[in-house]
Amino acid sequence: FSQKACHVLLSGARSRQTIGARGIASGMVKKELHGQLRSFSIREVEAYVSNEVRTSKYTLWNFLPKNLFEQFQRMANIYFVFLCILQVIPAVSNTAGTPTVAIPLTFVVVCTAIKDAVEDSRRRKSDRLENKQLVNFVPPDGSTTKLPSKVWRDVRVGEIICVRNREFIPADCILLGSSDTHGVAYIETANLDGETNLKLKRAHGVTAKWIGTEGNPDAGDLAAAAAKLTGRVECEAPNPSLYTFEGTMNVKFHTDKPLQADLSLTSTHMLLRGCKLRNTAWALACVVFTGHESKIQMNSSQAPHKQSALEKLANKLMLIILAIQVVLCLGGAVAGAIYQGGDAVGEKYLGVEESSAAELLLYGVTKFFTFLIIFGNFIPISLIVTLGVVKLLQGFFIGADEDMSSGGTKAAVRTSDLNEELGQIEYIFSDKTGTLTRNRMEFRKCSIWGNSYGMGIAEVRRRVLKKMGLPIPADPVPPPGSKKTPHVNLVDSQLDAVLADEDTEEYRQCLRFFLHLAINHTVMCEPSNTPDVPVAYSASSPDEGALVYAASHFGFTFSSRDSTGLYVNVRGKEVKIVIEADFEFTSARKCSSIACRIQWPEAPEQYMVFCKGADSAIMRRLTKECAASKTTATTIAHMEEYARDGLRVLCIGGRYLSYAEYQGYIEKFQTASMAMDDRQGKLDEVAALLEQELELWGATAVEDQLQEDVGDTIASLQEAGIKIWMLTGDKVETATNIGVATSLLTNAMHRTVLTADESKQAHEVDAAVRKACQDASSSAPNRELALIVDGFCLQSALKPDNIQAFMALALRCTAVICCRVSPEQKGAVVRGVRDIKKAITLAIGDGANDCNMIQSADVGVGLRGEEGMQAFNCSDYGLSQFKFLKMLLLVHGRWAYRRNAKLVLFMFYKNVVVVLPQFYLNAVSLFSGQRLYIDLMYQLYNVAFTSFPIIVLGVLDQDCSKNDSLRHPQLYKLGPQRFYFNKEVFVQWVISGMWHSLVVFCVPYLAFSGTQIPHSDGGLTDLWTDGMIVYLCVVIVANAKCAIENMYHTWILWAILAMSVLAWPVCLMIFEGNPALESFGTYEMTSMASRLFATPIFHIVVLLTAVVALSREFLWKSFRRTHFPTPYHEIQDRFNRSLGPNAPTEVQPRQPVEHHDTSGYPKSDGSRRPSLTTYTEGDKAFDHFATRAVGSDATPRAHPVLPGATDEPMEQPAVVVSAGSRKSLTHT
């Protein structure tokens, strides 16, 4: 081969240099990495990172020390270790030097360690399976008749491996050749980005020519061919960017006529670890990155940690409780020291002598630590473990809910730590395409050279007309026998007539238009399973797939692809297109382009540039003559009409090149492709030169239908007080109509529209945006507001000088629509609301361009969409459809918030009840530091006696049924208002605990103290017996309090409650007189059970204590329900009335949505819970009542039903920037 031939082969490779919005990582290679190049020789093993992958944290030898080290970095565990240390110090210990606090601490640590071990064992098993997979490799000498194999962990950089069809790729490699003669290989990237459609990879034409062999040759041929190849690779350092790669390869072929060539390497030539080879018999590749330096491993970092607002407040309250504990200890120590130096001296039986000031100070310090041990259980040690178990079980039931299942795909809880956040959402940020819509595209209309083709209106426009009460035109009927093609729904006999006459100018314009659709794409061909469809297409973007199907529908069929380009059947004639420069779509350029040679079978070769993209990108690249032409004006009018129909619009443009111009661009492209310094920047410069002086050939209009029940879901969420923002990359007109069709926008809303032309100066946009925000903020104070803003104005609004004014306006609005926004802007908007408003936010999307906002929000929800699993993989919760968001928030989220709030409050409450009686005892014993309980029983309080009932409440409790929660979204407003968990509620629970602790101490103390002889053996009631009675009363009262707070009583709850209370006599009988437990003080329990149970007053005192303590709960709750009811009280009363003999007659002004209660929650009678299915006049009273109870600013809205009206609110918004003109920036 000559050097010129090498360049020809080199230029034929299709390069993919840029990263679109699909990137999982940021998509940008950090600039500093370019200075850290990797250089190695082919077929020479280099000493780089091992290919063994280990995602597990522990080994058999380091599990115990490492896990303990991690656990004891938590402040709660450190605190209880400190108490254990105090308990073994004789001077301050009141447990005879036995660290009894170690019992609950050990339980918590062991439970956490078991959980960590189970999770890590799964990771270790997965690692073992991956590292022991086999792969064939080419020996360095190439002398073999059978390719040997090795396990993945032994693969090294520089080796040449052979991957067979349907095998996974063991490391990041450079493709050298494949079973295809052109070096083409197909891979499936589901492990990388969740996309199941095939991707095309190519070897360089030089290496593919020498290694490529038809079919499946024997191993000797492959080894011999690979053995002739040597060279050196120089490339970028390992980095997490999945869609970029820059490098060069100097290759040598040792044949009779040795050949050397310098080749450019791009992402097109890379096979990444974790991908699967498909539809390719074999592929030879050179290993570049191994192990943890591979791109999939560098992208496997943990998602950002998110902590719920409830947990944050609980941590603050824990500090308050700790402060209270310190105050009690300090007060007890000071009082003890005062008594020690005063009253105690006069009591001879105490044997206390006068002490010096220094001795009293030492005494006080000693007693401080003694009281710290006694009051140690003020901090609920089991809170973290209990809350974690409850959240895990809640997540299980969310995933098991059949009402959130579609096509066998159920909801997925990827992190259960945020369950309660689902019940406190104030703002929802939603993508449009694939989230509110189906992301299943249909080619509906097109504009070609000023002529619009396609009849009928889209579904979005149909819904808008229906809401406005306007007549809806009938759908066009295709003629009998017309061609049917997937993803194409264009009916227009005029276009068929134009394509039938090849001698007209209109035909030539259509030829150029549809040829563009068939060429400029990244779609792959696959065998078709449908007889009527010659070829099936696999596209990473549904839009591209619809455009290629449309071209095929009208006779321009993309048939195959090779390393030099592709083949298109143009109405029966095979045409070869050689693609020599390719620039994929990026969010910065907003267009994609190719430079190619079209080899007509019976005509001269043509050199052309094809460019398609957003109207804002294409319009500024047009020639002056084309931009000012009547045809362009007509096309713009057509695009605006398509956008009003809710269609997705794309501009189609291009230009012809002379041979000299074409060669000049290709040479610049090749030079930029070989650069190792700022290659991407140089390629962008070439793209800017190529994408200029274009002609506008037309526009496409693709329909993306709305998902099922989107309007009802949005209306219910708005009725629940949640504000919804739509963040989309579509045009303003398209997004506005989608907003109307989905009930996001209503005619009652006062709209502010901020749009601007990108050609305007930034300071002009800044000034206009500031003025618009000020004017809109001061107008319509008593009306619902809606804000519509495009990406260019949003960029200005998010600047530090403008963001406060913009957010002041946006946060007043009921609905906000941001159009033409980039992924970075989506994340910035979410962070702005989260940080400025301090509101709990939720972001939902389905594509990789939504990952930024999903991770920026407090709660991220990912949909399993048509664009892959990127959004799902980085989310906290996964759904299959947007409509399930209503069930997730209004039912499971509200339940989880209320349950977890009750759980946290109860954990603090029950420790107050058990700890304060010991303070009361010391108040009547000169603050001597005496404990009340036998320590073994005391330490089992949080483990055996009170832990399980609250778990049942946290998992199963329901204040209202699922159907009632959906029917009355106003109930959800209690969550954002922090109704169930705030500082005031916390104080109420603490006061309740103080009252209960006072009762459970005083009643037994007064009944058994003094000289009374209540026992049949004539003995007095000693301290430990009285403490055991108090302890039993604490257990009964605490569990009864849990039962009272529970509103959904089942046999499971009652069984757990009974077991918790009965655990007291069981433990008493097991521990009394047990010699093995004497170090824990159990010798004081000898014969205690028989004495207590034989004493009648014991039973009376226990019953009286429970009645006195709990009477306050019943009286207060009855009074509150009667005179100050909450919304859920009204729902419960109406539900109970519906079950009685005088149930209300079914009158349904609005149709309720029936949801089968299949959430997995057990019912008390084993059957399905009946649901309230009526909406009577009582609902009107409830709406008013809910508004009064929840807050005047949370007015519930019925599902919006727009009466007959005109288009005026939509066509003439209240505030417009750049209204009507694309060339000027004004404020009207």
Side-chain angles (χ1 to χ4, degrees), residues 721-750:
I722 302 174
K723 295 183 178 180
I724 302 175
W725 294 26
M726 184 169 72
L727 312 179
T728 177
D730 278 343
K731 292 170 65 67
V732 172
E733 297 85 354
T734 303
T736 301
N737 280 281
I738 293 291
V740 174
T742 58
S743 302
L744 183 61
L745 299 177
T746 67
N747 279 357
M749 292 181 181
H750 181 83

Side-chain angles (χ1 to χ4, degrees), residues 397-445:
F397 284 119
I398 291 175
D401 193 344
E402 293 292 341
D403 285 341
M404 292 194 295
S405 173
S406 176
T409 303
K410 297 182 179 181
V413 179
R414 298 176 55 80
T415 172
S416 58
D417 293 337
L418 304 174
N419 289 351
E420 62 269 16
E421 295 283 81
L422 295 173
Q424 305 173 79
I425 301 298
E426 298 176 64
Y427 289 86
I428 292 177
F429 301 89
S430 174
D431 178 39
K432 182 187 76 68
T433 304
T435 304
L436 302 179
T437 61
R438 300 177 187 271
N439 204 14
R440 297 173 185 172
M441 309 300 177
E442 282 192 342
F443 190 89
R444 288 297 304 267
K445 297 182 180 183

Side-chain angles (χ1 to χ4, degrees), residues 1-3 6 206 210 251-255 257-261:
F1 284 166
S2 64
Q3 190 70 20
C6 289
V206 177
W210 281 93
V251 291
K252 299 178 181 179
F253 298 100
H254 300 278
T255 60
K257 296 181 180 180
L259 175 66
Q260 179 177 345

Side-chain angles (χ1 to χ4, degrees), residues 248-268:
T248 59
M249 181 169 59
N250 178 273
V251 291
K252 299 178 181 179
F253 298 100
H254 300 278
T255 60
D256 296 337
K257 296 181 180 180
L259 175 66
Q260 179 177 345
D262 291 326
L263 309 177
S264 170
L265 299 176
T266 69
S267 59
T268 305

Side-chain angles (χ1 to χ4, degrees), residues 589-872:
R589 289 171 42 249
K590 297 183 179 179
C591 63
S592 65
S593 303
I594 61 171
C596 62
R597 293 183 286 123
I598 303 179
Q599 299 174 349
W600 299 98
E602 299 176 357
E605 190 174 63
Q606 287 183 314
Y607 307 94
M608 300 189 68
V609 174
F610 293 102
C611 183
K612 68 179 180 181
D615 57 341
S616 60
I618 301 298
M619 292 301 172
R620 65 172 180 262
R621 291 175 166 87
L622 299 180
T623 63
K624 294 182 179 179
E625 295 78 8
C626 181
S629 67
K630 182 179 179 181
T631 302
T632 299
T634 304
T635 303
I636 292 175
H638 290 162
M639 289 192 293
E640 292 175 348
E641 178 187 349
Y642 299 157
R644 284 194 294 270
D645 273 354
L647 301 177
R648 296 166 60 85
V649 180
L650 203 65
C651 285
I652 304 297
R655 62 171 170 144
Y656 294 92
L657 299 175
S658 66
Y659 176 77
E661 289 177 318
Y662 181 79
Q663 285 299 114
Y665 286 127
I666 298 304
E667 289 178 4
K668 293 177 180 178
F669 176 78
Q670 292 173 358
T671 302
S673 299
M674 293 293 293
M676 286 303 299
D677 182 24
D678 192 23
R679 177 186 295 183
Q680 188 58 56
K682 294 176 180 179
L683 285 170
D684 289 340
E685 292 176 1
V686 176
L689 293 174
L690 195 67
E691 297 166 346
Q692 63 179 346
E693 299 297 315
L694 301 177
E695 293 181 351
L696 183 62
W697 294 344
T700 62
V702 176
E703 179 182 14
D704 187 8
Q705 295 185 351
L706 294 176
Q707 287 194 16
E708 183 182 358
D709 293 335
V710 167
D712 177 70
T713 300
I714 290 178
S716 295
L717 294 175
Q718 288 179 328
E719 194 174 351
I722 302 174
K723 295 183 178 180
I724 302 175
W725 294 26
M726 184 169 72
L727 312 179
T728 177
D730 278 343
K731 292 170 65 67
V732 172
E733 297 85 354
T734 303
T736 301
N737 280 281
I738 293 291
V740 174
T742 58
S743 302
L744 183 61
L745 299 177
T746 67
N747 279 357
M749 292 181 181
H750 181 83
R751 298 184 193 172
T752 298
V753 180
L754 302 177
T755 61
D757 186 3
E758 294 186 15
S759 64
K760 288 299 173 184
Q761 296 295 323
H763 66 87
E764 296 180 281
V765 180
D766 291 348
V769 168
R770 282 195 295 269
K771 189 174 187 306
C773 291
Q774 293 170 1
D775 293 348
S777 297
S778 60
S779 64
N782 298 321
R783 293 182 61 184
E784 285 188 318
L785 300 181
L787 174 64
I788 303 171
V789 58
D790 69 359
F792 197 52
C793 286
L794 184 63
Q795 182 179 357
S796 172
L798 293 176
K799 292 180 179 179
D801 295 339
N802 302 335
I803 189 169
Q804 291 293 340
F806 173 74
M807 284 297 173
L809 169 62
L811 294 174
R812 282 188 57 202
C813 298
T814 304
V816 177
I817 297 179
C818 300
C819 314
R820 295 296 197 194
V821 292
S822 65
E824 291 75 17
Q825 288 177 323
K826 289 183 177 182
V829 169
V830 174
R831 290 189 294 272
V833 174
R834 185 195 64 193
D835 297 338
I836 294 176
K837 179 67 174 178
K838 304 300 182 184
I840 298 179
T841 58
L842 179 147
I844 179 171
D846 75 314
N849 58 335
D850 303 317
C851 292
N852 195 319
M853 71 171 183
I854 286 176
Q855 293 187 337
S856 298
D858 295 289
V859 180
V861 178
L863 299 184
R864 293 181 174 94
E866 299 290 328
E867 296 184 7
M869 300 281 286
Q870 300 97 318
F872 177 84

Side-chain angles (χ1 to χ4, degrees), residues 467-505:
K467 286 179 178 292
M468 293 182 173
L470 300 177
I472 302 174
D475 285 332
V477 179
S482 59
K483 184 178 180 180
K484 294 183 179 179
T485 304
H487 305 288
V488 179
N489 187 18
L490 190 151
V491 179
D492 197 325
S493 57
Q494 183 181 357
L495 180 58
D496 297 333
V498 169
L499 293 174
D501 189 356
E502 299 183 2
D503 296 329
T504 63
E505 179 63 25

Side-chain angles (χ1 to χ4, degrees), residues 982-1009:
N982 53 59
K983 294 179 181 178
E984 292 77 12
V985 174
F986 176 75
V987 171
Q988 293 175 11
W989 276 74
V990 171
I991 293 175
S992 177
M994 295 172 63
W995 161 251
H996 290 168
S997 66
L998 187 64
V999 172
V1000 298
F1001 173 78
C1002 291
V1003 173
Y1005 178 78
L1006 295 175
F1008 288 95
S1009 63

